[in-house]
Amino acid sequence: MPRLHPARAGRNVAEKAPCRSGASPETAMPLLQAATAVRENAYAPYSRFKVGAAIRSASGAIYAGCNVENVAYPEGTCAEAGAIAAMVAAGETVIAEVLVIADSPSPVPPCGGCRQKIAEFAPQDARVTLCTTDGVSRTMTVADLLPGVFSAAHMDRA
């Protein structure tokens, strides 16, 4: 995946177009562009609900993923999980920011499993921006997305 310029984060509000991560347009665009482009590659023949996700790692590199359905529904893969897998495959393990885009009337949050996956690699104050293809966005932190997160600290006695 090519290295792109980093994007900064925003606040926990919903806003109308353009969808951005709360940063200046110059720094927010790479995440939005990556998520929008990869969304077009989603394999969603059953739900027809295409999702794209882009994450900026601590190094500033951007990794993207799209949802990949399977006729056996539980075997599909979410866009967020695909982006995280691409980041880890590249040798990185820290998420600085996440952006997810879908064609929906309102911004779509990650599923519960992806919330936990994001929390595994992102600090609690990392920004998560949820966008619609119509330009509505909502930006929050990982802590807002998954309050009461289960973390490695819970396993200190194991």
Side-chain angles (χ1 to χ4, degrees), residues 5-33 35-36 54-56 62 96-101 125-132 135-141:
H5 296 289
R8 284 196 256 165
R11 36 190 157 208
N12 188 8
V13 296
E15 55 189 50
K16 185 67 177 161
C19 180
R20 58 194 168 113
S21 66
S24 69
E26 300 81 36
T27 58
M29 287 308 293
L31 275 178
L32 179 58
Q33 288 171 341
T36 300
I55 57 177
R56 181 173 52 85
I62 293 178
E97 186 174 7
V98 178
L99 187 140
V100 180
I101 189 166
D125 63 347
R127 300 292 184 211
V128 178
T129 301
L130 312 172
C131 300
T132 71
V136 178
S137 68
R138 180 174 182 210
T139 300
M140 61 188 63
T141 65

Side-chain angles (χ1 to χ4, degrees), residues 7 51 54 68 83 88 132 142:
V51 181
V68 179
V88 172
T132 71
V142 171

Side-chain angles (χ1 to χ4, degrees), residues 62-123:
I62 293 178
Y63 301 93
C66 59
N67 58 316
V68 179
E69 294 181 349
N70 188 288
V71 70
Y73 281 127
E75 300 304 316
T77 305
C78 296
E80 300 89 336
I84 291 169
M87 177 189 74
V88 172
E92 298 203 56
T93 57
V94 179
I95 295 173
E97 186 174 7
V98 178
L99 187 140
V100 180
I101 189 166
D103 185 11
S104 179
S106 61
V108 177
C111 71
C114 285
R115 291 174 193 220
Q116 184 65 44
K117 288 175 181 78
I118 291 166
E120 178 77 13
F121 296 99

